[in-house]
Amino acid sequence: MFASTFRCLASTLILSGLHLIAWAQPTSRWLSLFDGKSLAGWDTYLRQPEGTKQPPYGLNNDPLRVFTVADGAIRASGQLWGGISTRQEYDNYHLRLAVRWGTKKWYPNDSTRRDAGLLYHATGPYSFAYDCWLRSSELQIQEGEFGDFFGVGAGSAEFPMQPVTVRGKSLDQYAVDAPLRRNADAVGSGRVYRSGDFERPHGQWNTVELITRGADAVYIVNGYVVNRLFNTYRPAIHQQTTRGKIQLQSEGAEVYYRQIELRPVDYTSPQALSLTADKTILTDLVPGKPQSVQLTNRGDAVELVAVELSGPANDRFRVQLPTFPLRLKRGETLALPVVLLSADPNRTTTATLRLETVLGPVPGLAISLQGR
């Protein structure tokens, strides 16, 4: 699988000091999954109102208008728990959409963080999880916690992860350099926290992206890789999870989804990738004063889709991002300004900057960031 291949390639590059590798790039155009005017191509499924024993509203029965179109976006009111799902199934793709919170909150989530989610590789039945969601994996969309992983019955996965304490509990967190471990395989558990918080302030649009390649996936929030998983596997049927519908949640909070686009990714065109930086370390970064690193493409044309900041202080830094995806031809350069948001008065604030393609991090390229 890709995970073991990636580890092998990384080891080879470290030993040889080379930056060349057989790589591949997407060749397909973006396909819009939402026309901005109607719910054509989508199905809704809703359970009963919270705190009642009445039957679920079920498939494509939405008398309370939980899912509507407003100002070019799908509005999920949150009044009922449920989902809106594509009628088609997809595999090996790059998906992106914009998400923004509304103001309304509903029982039983009226006193908690606003919550929703992107479910993928989703298969029936519609009432599989919590009586309203398809069997799937989840890219969590929760206020202050965009990009966590939840299992919704599609199986467990392998993550580079390490223990972290969140609100007094020991949980798992994605860390690109941590050992691979398999998370728990149970609906509503097996949570793996994102690497850092790159969500925009309440009321602003956030760009959420998902790249799936076979049984592997990468989560991207506002241009930053925040989670990475390999080899999603359902032991009950002895199969990897690689394909399914896409479902967006209504979960007690008003949320808007728009600009929902997907492109298939073709991995069959090998390329020699060689991307180098003029600096391997940016030192003495201080809040509000950016420093730049310049990247030069010395190999075949390469497409970049995101950056990744890793390390315990990763979300104290920000990169002035170009518009992704960005294609760099041979000989072209890219300047990336980096700024420190806030420093830790008790220690040096550090992180590592990498660049992401549809097949993972650019090999052999890592820039150390140090703030003071």
Side-chain angles (χ1 to χ4, degrees):
M1 287 306 300
F2 178 82
S4 58
T5 304
F6 179 78
R7 290 195 299 272
C8 179
L9 289 169
S11 299
T12 302
L13 289 164
I14 291 170
L15 290 172
S16 66
L18 298 177
H19 294 157
L20 297 177
I21 186 171
W23 217 244
Q25 298 300 316
T27 58
S28 301
R29 294 184 178 181
W30 292 96
L31 169 69
S32 177
L33 302 186
F34 168 55
D35 63 16
K37 301 176 182 178
S38 71
L39 301 181
W42 296 77
D43 289 317
T44 65
Y45 191 91
L46 295 166
R47 74 182 197 185
Q48 67 279 4
E50 301 305 307
T52 74
K53 295 183 179 180
Q54 72 181 63
Y57 285 101
L59 185 64
N60 293 324
N61 180 28
D62 187 2
L64 299 180
R65 294 178 56 80
V66 172
F67 293 104
T68 57
V69 177
D71 299 323
I74 296 176
R75 174 185 179 262
S77 72
Q79 184 174 0
L80 298 178
W81 282 29
I84 184 167
S85 57
T86 60
R87 290 176 180 164
Q88 293 189 39
E89 294 189 351
Y90 302 94
D91 60 4
N92 291 327
Y93 58 81
H94 181 184
L95 173 73
R96 65 184 179 191
L97 67 154
V99 183
R100 177 178 67 82
W101 296 114
T103 57
K104 293 185 177 180
K105 298 168 71 173
W106 303 85
Y107 174 85
N109 290 3
D110 50 339
S111 61
T112 62
R113 295 169 182 257
R114 290 177 174 84
D115 202 357
L118 164 62
L119 308 182
Y120 63 98
H121 294 340
T123 58
Y126 282 96
S127 59
F128 173 80
Y130 300 95
D131 299 323
C132 61
W133 295 318
L134 293 163
R135 181 194 295 272
S136 55
S137 296
E138 180 176 2
L139 189 164
Q140 171 80 321
I141 297 172
Q142 187 174 52
E143 200 168 28
E145 295 181 342
F146 272 52
D148 293 354
F149 171 91
F150 267 111
V152 194
S156 63
E158 292 179 293
F159 295 79
M161 61 184 177
Q162 61 190 9
V164 62
T165 301
V166 179
R167 294 189 286 276
K169 295 182 179 180
S170 180
L171 299 167
D172 293 315
Q173 182 180 43
Y174 162 68
V176 65
D177 296 317
L180 278 179
R181 293 190 291 120
R182 186 163 287 276
N183 72 324
D185 184 15
V187 175
S189 68
R191 183 175 192 166
V192 178
Y193 270 76
R194 76 236 176 278
S195 60
D197 182 8
F198 296 95
E199 183 181 349
R200 292 180 179 140
H202 179 84
Q204 295 186 16
W205 288 98
N206 294 274
T207 299
V208 174
E209 298 177 71
L210 169 70
I211 297 173
T212 71
R213 42 184 183 247
D216 307 336
V218 175
Y219 295 3
I220 301 169
V221 175
N222 293 320
Y224 296 86
V225 173
V226 297
N227 223 328
R228 192 186 305 273
L229 58 113
F230 304 103
N231 193 25
T232 309
Y233 184 75
R234 284 181 59 194
I237 58 175
H238 307 290
Q239 289 183 357
Q240 291 179 318
T241 306
T242 62
R243 180 179 179 83
K245 298 180 178 182
I246 295 160
Q247 187 173 50
L248 304 173
Q249 291 180 319
S250 171
E251 195 176 354
E254 184 182 32
V255 61
Y256 294 84
Y257 306 99
R258 72 177 186 184
Q259 298 170 351
I260 307 169
E261 299 176 300
L262 176 148
R263 60 174 180 168
V265 179
D266 178 10
Y267 305 110
T268 61
S269 302
Q271 296 189 336
L273 187 150
S274 179
L275 198 63
T276 60
D278 65 338
K279 305 169 186 174
T280 58
I281 183 169
L282 296 180
T283 60
D284 295 328
L285 283 159
V286 296
K289 293 185 178 181
Q291 295 185 36
S292 290
V293 59
Q294 182 165 290
L295 308 169
T296 302
N297 183 16
R298 305 186 187 281
D300 292 342
V302 59
E303 186 191 72
L304 304 173
V305 297
V307 301
E308 178 166 18
L309 294 174
S310 60
N314 65 335
D315 52 11
R316 293 193 178 199
F317 296 87
R318 286 294 184 274
V319 181
Q320 184 177 321
L321 298 176
T323 300
F324 289 127
L326 173 68
R327 188 173 177 84
L328 276 184
K329 297 179 182 178
R330 180 190 291 268
E332 289 186 333
T333 61
L334 171 66
L336 288 180
V338 180
V339 65
L340 177 66
L341 298 182
S342 62
D344 187 334
N346 299 316
R347 61 180 180 178
T348 302
T349 306
T350 62
T352 300
L353 169 65
R354 295 179 174 89
L355 288 159
E356 188 81 8
T357 75
V358 292
L359 283 185
V362 173
L365 181 68
I367 298 101
S368 296
L369 311 178
Q370 293 185 1
R372 60 178 176 83

